[in-house]
Amino acid sequence: MDGPTERTLEALGLGEAPATDPLRYPGAWPAESGLLDGDLLLPLDRLVYEDRVPVLAVGSNACPGQLRHKMRRSGIGSPVPMVRTRVTGLAVGVSAHVSRLGYISASPVEAPGAVRELFVTWFDAEQLAVIDASEGVPLPYGNYRRAWLPAPVVRIELPDGTELPGAYTYVNRRGVLHDGSDVPRGHPGQRELLTELLTSVPRLRQLFGVTPGEFCARASADARLCELGTRVLAEEKLVTTSGLERFVRGRPTGGPGTGPPVPPPLR
């Protein structure tokens, strides 16, 4: 059985946070479910946490190093269960905004029939408030809104075969990038994505330089520049809808146990 040293994020290669190294976005994801407890990723004793809120992660919120970074900045040290799940009906798209952290983040898109391995993070009320704030949910013009995705539109199957009645995720208010038509494109990783965009969009090169490294350095140092870059993505007609906008209902304020007014039972 692994000892504490073998279970540290650094020993598992999960310690780096894209918030401090943008080119690594979305960061390293665990190979299996675990309990993020400070610097450790420990085995779980269960897969469902009725007193917590299930949130489906499609980007850096599935990276333990990023979660640790966010929680520590807010002085929160309580554990976060992370459950690897099989998700049908969802794909990982590209957010139509340039993040002030220096990268272009991922955003969920509706994709009927598509199957992906994603993480459900189970947050308590205090942790959920931190993640909401990091995604701009409380702000009138924040980039994301937290939305409840119900089954069977999105099917979330736990490792033991249990299916969740749904889960929250963060839907980008500005839309997502498309693949040349109205179809959302996938997120290939930060370096490849930025290389493609800088090659194909001269206005982005004028703002952010010619290499992914230059892009991240300039974006992470200048909020106004990020807003200009976001505007360029829209003006160049690179943006489409995610298909999940219909699930956004204002700015959610739910705590543990929230979801639909009467959540259906687990099955």
Side-chain angles (χ1 to χ4, degrees), residues 31-81:
E32 58 187 7
S33 302
L35 181 70
L36 177 61
D37 189 0
D39 295 326
L40 303 176
L41 189 66
L42 305 172
L44 288 176
D45 60 359
R46 55 193 168 114
L47 300 176
V48 176
Y49 296 77
E50 300 286 0
D51 58 338
R52 288 172 171 258
V53 177
V55 180
L56 196 59
V58 300
S60 64
N61 285 336
C63 170
Q66 184 87 325
L67 283 180
R68 178 178 63 178
H69 176 82
K70 289 184 178 185
M71 295 302 168
R72 279 185 172 172
R73 288 190 64 194
S74 297
I76 295 176
S78 53
V80 178

Side-chain angles (χ1 to χ4, degrees), residues 2-244:
D2 291 342
T5 302
E6 288 74 24
R7 302 299 303 184
T8 65
L9 298 189
E10 281 65 32
L12 295 170
L14 302 172
E16 295 195 14
T20 58
D21 192 351
L23 270 183
R24 292 184 178 273
Y25 184 92
W29 293 10
E32 58 187 7
S33 302
L35 181 70
L36 177 61
D37 189 0
D39 295 326
L40 303 176
L41 189 66
L42 305 172
L44 288 176
D45 60 359
R46 55 193 168 114
L47 300 176
V48 176
Y49 296 77
E50 300 286 0
D51 58 338
R52 288 172 171 258
V53 177
V55 180
L56 196 59
V58 300
S60 64
N61 285 336
C63 170
Q66 184 87 325
L67 283 180
R68 178 178 63 178
H69 176 82
K70 289 184 178 185
M71 295 302 168
R72 279 185 172 172
R73 288 190 64 194
S74 297
I76 295 176
S78 53
V80 178
M82 304 179 66
V83 179
R84 192 176 182 94
T85 62
R86 179 181 173 88
V87 178
T88 304
L90 207 66
V92 179
V94 179
S95 297
H97 82 280
V98 180
S99 170
R100 294 181 182 184
L101 293 175
Y103 47 67
I104 297 180
S105 58
S107 189
V109 298
E110 188 172 24
V115 179
R116 290 246 357 191
E117 294 281 324
L118 297 172
F119 277 88
V120 167
T121 47
W122 294 87
F123 295 123
D124 64 26
E126 190 177 40
Q127 295 164 347
L128 184 64
V130 169
I131 301 301
D132 273 0
S134 75
E135 305 296 344
V137 172
L139 303 175
Y141 301 103
N143 291 308
Y144 290 93
R145 295 290 178 257
R146 177 159 49 88
W148 178 264
L149 304 184
V153 175
V154 175
R155 180 184 177 191
I156 304 171
E157 184 179 354
L158 303 182
D160 65 357
T162 300
E163 291 184 27
L164 297 182
Y168 282 111
T169 195
Y170 292 98
V171 176
N172 200 290
R173 182 177 63 84
R174 301 174 187 263
V176 294
L177 302 190
H178 60 65
D179 64 357
S181 63
D182 285 333
V183 179
R185 63 159 298 164
H187 199 303
Q190 198 62 205
R191 189 178 294 274
E192 183 177 343
L193 174 65
L194 294 181
T195 297
E196 291 178 16
L197 290 174
L198 291 171
T199 299
S200 60
V201 185
R203 291 176 65 191
L204 288 179
R205 292 200 300 274
Q206 293 171 5
L207 292 173
F208 297 101
V210 298
T211 69
E214 286 179 296
F215 184 105
C216 292
R218 293 187 188 183
S220 61
D222 193 332
R224 180 177 175 277
L225 188 62
C226 291
E227 188 58 40
L228 288 174
T230 298
R231 191 181 307 165
V232 166
L233 295 175
E235 291 174 351
E236 293 289 323
K237 302 187 185 307
L238 301 177
V239 180
T240 189
T241 58
S242 70
L244 301 174

